[in-house]
Amino acid sequence: MLGNLPKETTSFVGRGRELSRLDRELERHRLITLVGSGGVGKSRLALRAARAAGGAGSFRDGVAWADLSPLHGDRLLLSTVSDACDLSDHTPRMPVDALCEWLMEKELLLVLDSCEHLTGPCRAMVGDLLTTVPGLTVLTTSRQPLGMDGERLVEVGPLRGDGPDALELFRQRVAAAAADRGTLFPEEREEGDGRGGRADAVWEGAGQDAAARWICHRLEGIPLALELAAAQAGRSGVPDVAERLGSRLDVLRAADGAAVRPERHRTMLTTIGWSHELCAPLERLLWARLSVFRGDFEEATARAVCAGGPLGTERVGPLLDRLVAASVLTSVKSEGGSGIRYRMLDTIREYGGLWLRALREERAVADRHAEHFLAFAARADAEWLGPEQAHWYRRVGDVHTDLCTALDHLLAVAPDRALRLTGLVGFFWSCCGHLHEARDYLEQALAAHPDDGPHRTRGLWALGVAMTLQGEYEKARRISDACARSASRDEDVRGTLAAAYLGGLIALLTGRALEADRVAAKALGAAAAGPFDSADRLRCHLVRVFALTGLGRLPEARERALFLRRGCVERGESWTRAYLDYQLSLIALFAGEPLDAAEHARAMLAGKSGIGDSFGIALGLDLLAAAIAAAGDGERAGQVYGTGQAFWSTVGHPQRGTPELATVREQCERAARAVVGDTVYETAYLRGATTDLESGLKAAMIPPSG
């Protein structure tokens, strides 16, 4: 299984000897580090080796890829690796303990790409993992070794500058650059060339071949340096680049002669500097400002953060295209083909950061970056109750690293803004499994900005939700009380409703349905309005539906649930609708209607899978399995129960939910065993528990034929 390996967006050239050695090392050793200077091709080599190992089935549980290059400090290290391993831990345990337990029985290849800026934290994490998880193999890429016992080092050098692989790589990248320029900048195409213009004409004759060989030799076969040079050759031709590169290398190397750097590192920096000088002034300015982004970004985001001064908003899009053509940026289509996302390699980002500091714009750009993501979070929150809800969950996930970057900056310079941002994204993060980051940032922001106000109320609410989902009910109850007091002091209606939802949720999960109903009803009665007046009000109505079910008032619960569900459908809202389907499924089971129960459970699963809510998916699978068992299909019920258990494992909890679900679950599981017998049931359960999560969920969602 290939897991979450990134796509290869360009061709792979050479490295046959290194791949053969890597294949042998992966068979014999548990920790292998590819060591080499920046731009030498470590990540591409690791990706190709990982893809081969996964495709060959060398590791029973596949391959997990964690890109560490966007991380600034070790705060997000464990969550990044956990995400790569499909773990969305919902417990208050130390993250490394949760990760070790999740991987305990697995046979997995874990790739940690770009460890050089986190060698200490990576060394500690890898040490814990290798000690605890006997079936784990770790492949890392770094500019320096981790320095661990048993670490096998594979040095990755450049391609031979005078060899065929370097020349072939350069040839391919020149052709691709010329073709891309023909697409991006059609005004530069040569008219009347029936063979396709620049892409065919750029490499003709012995002069070009000799110049290319000289470039490969002079750039010492360093792949990234060759790609940067090829990007320029795609525009002006190989001989022109050779001439300009030769004089520029001599000048820059002479100027850098006093610096003490390895020759290969100096060649790489010199080539990046040469590419930088060949960029137009506004391209260089955008390059520097884009270095603030740690993850992928869209054109609209780049405009919002990087425009200003001589760089007009309307210029950003065309300049992004030119930086892609110069190999300063890479671009990929977003999932679903909805747009283009850009990324800057860490080596090139480092250079851009140097220029940003030289321009004395580092603080100003960081401020704009943080304010942009604060506005982004405010819009996501405002549009939560509507048709774009699932879209915003995905977008919040896409920009997770940059949201954290913004929070780190605001915690240092504007704690009040940091508190507002954490309050806005905390619920999104908690629903999508980023509970540790949500709690960590919320606790920091609340401590850094203790002043009363709506933002503090919101932060307390989000912190209480995170604690509740981690199962720390007593701590969450204290936070809930503090949230209610804060809202009361400010006469904050929205905060009062949020506090009531939190208090009601805790009461539901601890078996106190009557208290949950009382708390929610009191808050709703204090300010009359429709249930869809705000997201907080709707969540309080949801608490009442759960409470009525728990109290056994099923006709009333069903009537309220159906009414609210119709409103959610009309508005395109999915989070609340999914939990209403959950309740309608449970009510149908109590009423002896298993087919209706299964239909509602599948509808819930569709909503929860759309936002990546593993906790909600686990709840829904348990309910679906119970409905299937009640309908008499014991074997299929066993398989779905097994898939549900696999999802419970990803959140680090045993099966959870409101108490009434536990009773239904136990009764239906006994019924399923009675229908097909223990052996058939347990075989089906194991099949569901060991199928990969995506396939298992997809199989469970298929309704029975006929």
Side-chain angles (χ1 to χ4, degrees), residues 142-432:
S142 181
R143 298 178 196 175
Q144 56 184 317
L146 296 186
M148 298 180 64
D149 291 340
E151 180 182 19
R152 295 285 295 183
L153 300 181
V154 176
E155 184 171 353
V156 182
L159 301 170
R160 276 185 52 193
D162 58 352
D165 289 341
L167 181 61
E168 180 59 24
L169 175 66
F170 186 67
R171 282 178 181 272
Q172 291 187 18
R173 297 300 185 266
V174 169
D180 286 344
R181 290 205 68 84
T183 301
L184 294 172
F185 313 114
E187 71 277 5
E188 295 180 357
R189 289 177 80 78
E190 295 179 3
E191 296 183 4
D193 188 343
R195 296 166 299 161
R198 303 192 59 84
D200 294 313
V202 74
W203 200 290
E204 291 182 352
Q208 280 89 339
D209 192 68
R213 292 180 184 279
W214 182 91
I215 291 171
C216 293
H217 173 73
R218 197 69 192 270
L219 293 181
E220 302 175 44
I222 301 173
L224 180 56
L226 294 175
E227 294 201 8
L228 291 170
Q232 297 297 335
R235 179 175 185 177
S236 59
V238 176
D240 180 68
V241 166
E243 180 181 351
R244 289 187 292 150
L245 178 61
S247 60
R248 186 53 58 192
L249 282 170
D250 290 339
V251 169
L252 291 179
R253 282 178 169 173
D256 192 43
V260 180
R261 292 192 182 97
E263 180 67 22
R264 192 174 299 153
H265 181 62
R266 187 169 64 179
T267 298
M268 187 68 255
L269 286 180
T270 300
T271 307
I272 294 175
W274 169 74
S275 294
H276 186 265
E277 289 201 354
L278 288 179
C279 289
L282 288 182
E283 293 170 1
R284 294 200 292 266
L285 179 59
L286 181 58
W287 179 345
R289 291 177 177 177
L290 288 172
S291 67
V292 73
F293 291 106
R294 306 300 300 184
D296 297 353
F297 56 89
E298 298 173 337
E299 180 182 327
T301 306
R303 287 199 305 267
V305 174
C306 300
L311 180 54
T313 302
E314 75 286 352
R315 301 294 301 276
V316 172
L319 289 172
L320 288 172
D321 288 340
R322 293 186 179 276
L323 290 177
V324 169
S327 290
V328 173
L329 298 175
T330 58
S331 63
V332 294
K333 282 189 176 182
S334 302
E335 285 191 24
S338 58
I340 300 294
R341 297 187 67 82
Y342 299 89
R343 167 170 283 204
M344 187 177 285
L345 291 176
D346 55 338
T347 307
I348 294 175
R349 186 195 304 121
E350 290 170 9
Y351 193 89
L354 292 173
W355 275 92
L356 191 65
R357 288 190 287 277
L359 293 169
R360 297 184 179 180
E361 286 196 357
E362 192 174 21
R363 170 65 187 273
V365 175
D367 286 344
R368 288 204 299 272
H369 176 273
E371 287 303 313
H372 168 76
F373 282 101
L374 180 55
F376 168 94
R379 186 178 172 193
D381 180 70
E383 296 188 15
W384 188 89
L385 188 58
E388 295 298 309
Q389 186 187 82
H391 167 74
W392 280 109
Y393 272 101
R394 289 190 292 272
R395 290 200 65 192
V396 167
D398 287 341
V399 301
H400 180 74
T401 303
D402 276 296
L403 281 169
C404 293
T405 300
L407 276 169
D408 289 336
H409 177 69
L410 291 174
L411 281 168
V413 303
D416 58 326
R417 311 290 278 171
L419 181 56
R420 185 180 178 213
L421 180 52
T422 52
L424 290 168
V425 301
F427 190 71
F428 284 96
W429 281 356
S430 293
C431 290
C432 295

Side-chain angles (χ1 to χ4, degrees), residues 570-592:
E570 290 171 3
R571 291 162 177 79
E573 195 275 352
S574 59
W575 186 89
T576 311
R577 175 183 170 181
Y579 277 120
L580 290 167
D581 274 312
Y582 171 89
Q583 282 299 289
L584 287 166
S585 179
L586 192 58
I587 292 166
L589 269 178
F590 286 142

